[in-house]
Amino acid sequence: MRALVGLAMCAACSGEGAAPAPAGGTALGSYRVGSGPRAVTAADLDADGDLDLVTANADSGDATILWNDGRGGLAGGPPLAAGNQPSDVAAADLDGDGDIDLVFANHDTPLVTVLAGDGAGGFEPQPPIDTGSRPHVHGLAVADFDGDGRADVAVDSADDDTVRVLFGGAGGLAPVQAFPAGHLPYYRIGAGDVVGDPRPELLAPAQRDESIVILGAGRGAVRLAPAAAPVALDREPWMVRTADLDGDGPGDLAIILTDGVAVFLGAGDGAFRAAPGSPFPVPSATEVATGDVDGDGVADVAVGPWDGSDVHIFLGTSFAHLRQPAAPRPIGLAIADLDGDGRGELIAASTLDDVVVVASLP
């Protein structure tokens, strides 16, 4: 079950479902994108100070950019070729020229595709990069793992129990290196500082171990090694994201499990405790995003299900549960402040309707 549909089959195979929850906020708009959008991210792609959106469209093999008009209104541009079945996307300066680039994980291949940005909204495709991932890549984690000031790109490699990292340097991305990451590090890896140093750690969902493996590197060290004890879970993890979910400063974890989302609160030294009530049931939970949707300064958790049209939102600190209507199979998720009001909008890409829905909570 390593194709994208395999995730859906596994994620939907158990659980009785969450209790009814109140509806969320107001849908601000629905925007047509390419076929089968599987991921969405927000970044200022044309250096005008506003966050734009980009989707990875798995079925049409391309990317759609939705340009922000500065008030939260979005307009789509022409599709950009993004390689075979782009299943994940990240935006970062990968070549050190000060401009935002785009990188895509190409499902059913070991490749990642980079589109080099020119800072004014133009993107130039680069030759695909072979990561050696086995059987193929599913997701990306992009961060400066070695503390040298350059963005690095990591992908999963489930068959050989590794994560594979392309470290950034003055000449761009270096040849790939593989690092042990537990048993069956499968699907969506993450990145964030959870051990209290200034550098982000790489977080791998080790399915066979039912844990999250935490890997880190010394400053300037082009290697990754265990940085903290694995976080033990009660079932298989599929995806992990980090954010401060309780307002105390240290990074916390939001982890997609089969039919649920687990929240673990960090102490800042690599130790974690489960949030009260965690894991929270979400039938066919598939994707998670974090960000502040209610403007209280604390990150919240959004979960997209494979079956259904609502995004489940768990508010930071209290983890009160809301449901925001979106569109069928809203499994590409992001939270970003598109209109500059200090509150993040919920952004959901529907793989069935080929749209991105943007909603604002009250």
Side-chain angles (χ1 to χ4, degrees), residues 31-40 53-66 76-82 86 348-356:
Y31 304 90
R32 181 67 56 182
V33 296
S35 179
R38 189 58 189 80
V40 61
L53 302 180
V54 56
T55 61
N57 306 319
D59 294 345
S60 51
D62 55 26
T64 301
I65 296 178
L66 297 173
L80 302 174
S350 165
T351 61
L352 294 184
D353 282 3
D354 300 337
V355 297
V356 166

Side-chain angles (χ1 to χ4, degrees), residues 1-12:
M1 292 194 297
R2 294 208 179 132
L4 293 180
V5 68
L7 172 65
M9 292 169 61
C10 191

